[in-house]
Amino acid sequence: MPFTVAVDGPAAAGKGTVARAVAARFGFAHLDTGLLYRAVGAKGGDPVAAAQSLTEADLARDDLRSEAAGEAASRVAALPEVRGALVAFQRDFAARPGGAVLDGRDIGTVICPDAAVKLFVTAAPEVRARRRWLEAGGDTAPESFDSVLDQVRARDARDMGRADAPLRPAADAVELDTSGLSIEAAVARAVAVVAERLERSSGG
Ligand code: CDP
């Protein structure tokens, strides 16, 4: 039976790092679903047509990680037709026999409501903005901390406020607040939750 781990949460909460580490630790495949929305936003033109014709090459573009691409992603992600066009790809990925980890915003609520494990990785907006700002160079970053914080808040508001698949924890998600945690500590907690579920699902 496929074993799916759903990792959801807001921008820069650490969900990508947690998802990658869990996948590596248990030998599961990993899909960063944000990349799908980033690729749709980056293609330009009609976003619905872009989502319907998305290819591997679109996902391999090297300009998808920028804040501008994240902003564009969050805009096209509010369109139900775009989200609908990406469902089958994500569900197929989740059903692969060796186990899969998907990270995004609506994995535990919409894409994989029956996932074996659901993690909701979060952190205070100020903490997330500081991480993004430090990644961009801190005092030498092109943008001030306050402007990064404004962007984080704006993206949260759009992702949580949209009508279709808004960002929220599934009722049965385990919340992991990484505000005061190191990456190692956050990963260790996530690994412990997954290990415990795996043991239960194998009857051990
Ligand atoms: O890395 P970061 O958390 O900043 O962003 P991301 O996970 O790459 O997602 C970029 C944007 O895509 C988000 O702000 C969401 O609006 C959208 N998204 C979504 O709606 N559903 C997903 N499953 C993944 C991303």
Side-chain angles (χ1 to χ4, degrees):
M1 215 183 75
F3 188 93
T4 308
V5 180
V7 183
D8 291 304
K15 63 185 183 314
T17 306
V18 164
R20 267 191 305 277
V22 165
R25 169 72 176 69
F26 296 99
F28 298 154
H30 170 232
L31 178 65
D32 169 0
T33 65
L35 265 191
L36 304 175
Y37 296 92
R38 286 172 181 263
V40 170
K43 262 182 115 168
D46 172 23
V48 178
Q52 286 165 343
S53 63
L54 210 62
T55 64
E56 291 289 330
D58 295 325
L59 300 179
R61 288 172 64 138
D62 57 11
D63 59 351
L64 298 182
R65 296 282 171 200
S66 68
E67 185 51 40
E71 182 66 26
S74 150
R75 289 180 191 278
V76 299
L79 303 171
E81 295 87 348
V82 166
R83 306 199 69 83
L86 301 174
V87 169
F89 179 84
Q90 295 174 84
R91 289 199 178 138
D92 285 350
F93 191 97
R96 53 179 63 201
V101 184
L102 284 80
D103 73 81
R105 300 290 189 285
D106 64 338
I107 308 305
T109 50
V110 174
I111 302 296
C112 303
D114 298 327
V117 180
K118 297 179 187 179
L119 297 170
F120 194 80
V121 182
T122 179
E126 293 75 12
V127 173
R128 293 186 281 120
R130 185 155 302 276
R131 288 178 188 159
R132 279 281 147 99
W133 179 68
L134 289 174
E135 271 168 22
D139 282 328
T140 62
E143 286 182 282
S144 69
F145 169 75
D146 285 345
S147 121
V148 177
L149 179 57
D150 284 348
Q151 286 167 18
V152 163
R153 288 200 167 120
R155 195 122 74 86
D156 281 0
R158 194 177 305 124
D159 289 350
M160 292 174 190
R162 69 186 175 212
D164 190 27
L167 171 64
R168 59 175 176 79
D172 51 351
V174 174
E175 283 212 33
L176 188 58
D177 187 334
T178 67
S179 298
L181 290 182
S182 66
I183 283 297
E184 293 75 17
V187 166
R189 286 201 196 173
V191 164
V193 174
V194 176
E196 191 252 335
R197 295 288 160 85
L198 265 176
E199 213 167 285
R200 247 200 279 159
S201 73
S202 65

